[in-house]
Amino acid sequence: MLYLTACVVVHLAVGVLPPAVLNTRPSAARVVTRISGAMMIAIGGYLLVERLAG
């Protein structure tokens, strides 16, 4: 359930941010990209651990 919640949060954050803001602020776009990437890696790690443990 945790990974589903994390996916929803990341996708909502990326989808809600208007492209105009990200185009005018490249630093904001980089931050969003890095946070999204880190969250996806964390979710993948969690799923791997969950699968190996169970």
Side-chain angles (χ1 to χ4, degrees):
M1 188 60 140
L2 175 65
Y3 59 89
L4 178 61
T5 305
C7 284
V8 168
V9 169
V10 169
H11 284 96
L12 280 176
V14 172
V16 169
L17 292 173
V21 172
L22 295 178
N23 288 335
T24 58
R25 298 194 55 205
S27 61
R30 279 192 295 276
V31 169
V32 169
T33 300
R34 288 183 180 150
I35 290 172
S36 178
M39 293 283 292
M40 289 301 172
I41 290 170
I43 292 166
Y46 175 78
L47 290 173
L48 180 63
V49 168
E50 184 180 53
R51 183 145 181 112
L52 293 174

